[in-house]
Amino acid sequence: MSVTFCGHGSEIYDNNIRNILMQEIEKAVNSGENEFLFGGYGNFDMLAAHVVKDIKNSYPQIRLILVIPYLSMSFDADIYDESVYPPLEKVPRKLAIIKRNEWMIDKSNTVIAFVKHNWGGAAMTMEYAVKKKKNVINIIKNLKNP
């Protein structure tokens, strides 16, 4: 069972977000989720990856998986347990991230989001998850002053 993350790239506010993320990730792990899929772009993805990496000390069975949209992508391999490249060979480069995000949603049961407004890639990804009837947790709703 997998969890995907989606969020705005630059809108990270304070440590309260880290605490909320940690609570939601621990709930997911305690519900049987053991794979965490990351796109590897933006501040929210990096924060989520670091939180999952920290939690992995208490739950060694969980896996951090980077899902790359391009074969030429470079990334910090130290934080992830593995990387995968979905079947995107025939997808035009300008659509690769969108199709990668959809692939991640299709593979997941739960989506933990940090989506404040209804435009951009994160909002589109969350909308796709809702359409696919995934368990979507938008942590922005837990903040007092988003």
Side-chain angles (χ1 to χ4, degrees):
M1 295 179 21
S2 300
V3 174
T4 290
F5 297 89
C6 73
H8 302 303
S10 61
E11 297 182 26
I12 301 298
Y13 300 103
D14 59 35
N15 282 336
N16 192 26
I17 294 167
R18 182 182 175 80
N19 294 335
I20 294 167
L21 248 179
M22 187 169 290
Q23 291 169 4
E24 293 300 336
I25 292 166
E26 285 185 330
K27 283 182 200 173
V29 171
N30 290 325
S31 296
E33 306 284 7
N34 58 9
E35 289 186 344
F36 294 84
L37 306 177
F38 301 92
Y41 288 109
N43 291 333
F44 181 72
D45 261 19
M46 290 312 300
L47 175 61
H50 284 285
V51 171
V52 174
K53 185 76 168 177
D54 290 347
I55 288 173
K56 187 175 170 88
N57 292 327
S58 299
Y59 302 97
Q61 76 277 15
I62 63 177
R63 309 271 309 147
L64 288 84
I65 302 169
L66 177 66
V67 183
I68 57 173
Y70 316 111
L71 287 175
S72 61
M73 182 178 167
S74 63
F75 57 92
D76 178 6
D78 293 340
I79 195 163
Y80 305 103
D81 295 310
E82 65 184 273
S83 64
V84 298
Y85 177 68
L88 300 174
E89 299 88 17
K90 296 181 181 175
V91 174
R93 187 170 175 86
K94 68 181 182 177
L95 297 177
I97 291 175
I98 294 167
K99 293 301 181 186
R100 185 271 321 263
N101 291 350
E102 290 175 356
W103 184 88
M104 289 173 26
I105 298 297
D106 291 342
K107 297 288 183 199
S108 297
N109 305 304
T110 300
V111 176
I112 298 177
F114 183 75
V115 177
K116 184 177 180 181
H117 45 71
N118 62 358
W119 66 88
M124 191 166 64
T125 301
M126 191 172 86
E127 183 180 310
Y128 182 81
V130 169
K131 178 180 160 190
K132 291 292 189 167
K133 299 184 180 349
K134 302 296 179 169
N135 176 30
V136 177
I137 301 158
N138 189 1
I139 66 169
I140 199 92
K141 295 177 180 178
N142 296 338
L143 294 174
K144 291 181 178 157
N145 297 314

